Amino acid sequence: MSSSERTTVHVMRHGEVENPEGVLYGRLPGYHLSDLGRRMAERVAERVVERDIVHVVASPLERARETATPIAKAVGAEIATDERLIEAANVFEGKTFGIGDGALRRPANWRHLRNPFRPSWGEPYVDQAVRMKGAVDAARDAARGREALCVSHQLPIWTLRGWVERRRLWHDPRNRQCTLASLTSFTFEGDDIVSVTYTEPALDLVPAHLRSGAKPVKGAKGFGA
């Protein structure tokens, strides 16, 4: 095996989810893509069909596997599952927790908010980065010299990117560059990551308030990742 062998692993955030109650759904089962989310997945499939993708793998959650389906079909691959691509654990799972809903004023929540650097409300950032790096390395090995695509979730993807780029892992969620159906792509020379790129193939389908860097909208639905 050549040490200079080039492999690219694209890590995709799933499409929009049907979530009329606006809950933070986290790892809960039963949350599926909306009609718009399916269109996002199909758009990405159209954009990557000409790439040399030979391995498609998804988080076990429904929204991730549904996002992977048209892509796997387009490139002629089966969908593998990797538990390490799953959403981050969060104690607020199943609850509303967003801009303007009063969550920060509830005393019962304060103990979970005491340490934003770890964070105290869920899975440690370092744990997320380590498991995601393991999943990406496995995808690289499955597609040596070619390309792979993994479907995961916003926070784990952004945490992995921060880890690779040697940035601090704690951050303001509003500043994550990881829009719905976006691709964060890691290019390897041998086993070493030599570049990270970011693209948004379905940006025109993403509602303005859900795009990277958008200002929070009070009462807007669109939680989870």
Side-chain angles (χ1 to χ4, degrees):
M1 181 186 302
S2 171
S3 62
S4 62
E5 187 174 49
R6 182 174 288 259
T7 309
T8 299
V9 179
H10 308 282
V11 186
M12 179 181 176
R13 184 182 172 193
H14 61 78
E16 186 192 58
V17 174
E18 187 68 32
N19 182 21
E21 301 303 319
V23 303
L24 197 159
Y25 37 78
R27 295 180 175 180
L28 293 174
Y31 282 88
H32 299 268
L33 292 184
S34 65
D35 290 342
L36 178 57
R38 285 188 286 274
R39 287 171 55 202
M40 291 177 183
E42 290 164 359
R43 172 67 60 78
V44 176
E46 292 168 359
R47 297 293 174 85
V48 303
V49 67
E50 298 301 327
R51 300 197 65 92
D52 192 23
I53 295 172
V54 295
H55 182 67
V56 177
V57 58
S59 154
L61 296 174
E62 293 99 330
R63 58 193 186 270
R65 294 190 62 79
E66 290 167 1
T67 299
T69 296
I71 296 166
K73 181 178 179 181
V75 301
E78 298 293 327
I79 302 173
T81 302
D82 192 325
E83 296 280 346
R84 293 172 293 188
L85 294 172
I86 201 167
E87 174 63 287
N90 193 310
V91 298
F92 297 113
E93 190 175 271
K95 302 177 182 178
T96 58
F97 194 86
I99 302 299
D101 70 355
L104 296 179
R105 296 193 296 274
R106 298 171 194 156
N109 290 338
W110 294 348
R111 65 189 177 91
H112 298 303
L113 303 172
R114 66 186 182 278
N115 183 1
F117 306 107
R118 186 178 185 266
S120 53
W121 55 82
E123 182 182 10
Y125 292 126
V126 170
D127 291 359
Q128 294 178 51
V130 168
R131 65 173 169 84
M132 288 290 291
K133 181 59 164 55
V136 167
D137 286 348
R140 173 206 64 207
D141 290 343
R144 286 277 184 184
R146 303 179 75 178
E147 300 184 26
L149 187 143
C150 306
V151 182
S152 187
H153 308 268
Q154 186 192 55
L155 178 54
I157 296 170
W158 182 244
T159 301
L160 171 63
R161 180 175 171 183
W163 176 274
V164 169
E165 294 180 338
R166 300 182 183 232
R167 291 184 278 106
R168 67 168 192 250
L169 299 185
W170 59 272
H171 60 279
D172 183 338
R174 295 170 296 183
N175 294 334
R176 295 173 189 160
Q177 189 183 42
C178 192
T179 293
L180 290 164
S182 61
L183 298 173
T184 301
S185 302
F186 301 88
T187 297
F188 291 81
E189 292 285 355
D191 291 347
D192 299 322
I193 295 175
V194 295
S195 70
V196 181
T197 57
Y198 175 79
T199 55
E200 298 173 332
L203 183 61
D204 61 305
L205 299 177
V206 179
H209 71 283
L210 296 179
R211 296 180 183 181
S212 296
K215 293 182 179 180
V217 176
K218 184 175 180 178
K221 304 300 183 185
F223 295 83

